[in-house]
Amino acid sequence: MTAGNQLTRTQRDDLRTIAAMIIPASDEYKVPGADDPAIQADILATLGRDTRLVAAALDHLARLAGGPLSELDATKRDAVAQELRKNGGAAAATLVRVVLQCYYRDDRVLRSLGLELRAPFPKGHVLPDGDWSLLDPVKARGGTLRRAP
């Protein structure tokens, strides 16, 4: 069972709702909101060790809302989100971090920021096989011995 499957249907719906509140879609910048299905799938697939804290934050959110967050009007939803932000502790911080990390690794978002969709090194420079000259400065430093913890 994946971490995302450990969340109830209501928790997943609330996650999508709060994600859209954290980062709404922007037509101006041509980027999706954090509630985009691809971003939500990434969040659910990569929750891993954060599942427990994210579920705790979503449970706290549901208690504050008195039911599903998506069923509240915008004003009440904002008030509930502000209360979670103030008193949600580590669980709320983890929820926000998870949403942000998945959002900012989406290709569409990276493109809108002007970033390339690949590692910045070697920027298209191909090194010939067997050319280890880049390591010469490292080799010249000599060994560094450290006590293992």
Side-chain angles (χ1 to χ4, degrees):
M1 177 186 283
T2 65
N5 289 337
Q6 294 175 17
L7 298 179
T8 66
R9 182 75 187 146
T10 302
Q11 286 174 324
R12 290 192 304 262
D13 290 345
D14 282 351
L15 175 61
R16 188 173 38 261
T17 302
I18 197 72
M21 293 172 70
I22 293 170
I23 305 178
S26 171
D27 291 334
E28 179 182 354
Y29 297 106
K30 298 175 180 64
V31 291
D35 62 333
D36 180 81
I39 295 169
Q40 286 293 301
D42 187 24
I43 291 170
L44 294 174
T46 60
L47 273 176
R49 66 184 175 146
D50 294 321
T51 303
R52 184 182 55 77
L53 282 173
V54 169
L58 294 170
D59 288 344
H60 187 181
L61 191 63
R63 281 191 303 279
L64 292 171
L69 188 65
S70 59
E71 293 178 4
L72 297 179
D73 65 51
T75 304
K76 288 181 182 175
R77 215 177 317 165
D78 287 340
V80 167
Q82 287 302 322
E83 183 64 28
L84 177 70
R85 184 173 163 236
K86 279 190 237 171
N87 300 314
T94 300
L95 172 64
V96 171
R97 179 183 49 78
V98 164
V99 169
L100 293 176
Q101 76 185 16
C102 291
Y103 182 79
Y104 283 105
R105 70 177 168 219
D106 185 85
D107 291 351
R108 297 164 292 178
V109 175
L110 290 174
R111 270 191 225 96
S112 78
L113 295 171
L115 299 174
E116 297 179 35
L117 302 180
R118 62 183 173 85
F121 183 80
K123 288 249 184 217
H125 302 289
V126 178
L127 299 174
D129 285 340
D131 180 5
W132 297 98
S133 61
L134 286 176
L135 293 177
D136 290 342
V138 175
K139 290 177 189 175
R141 267 192 254 149
T144 302
L145 299 176
R146 294 190 179 117
R147 185 173 299 276

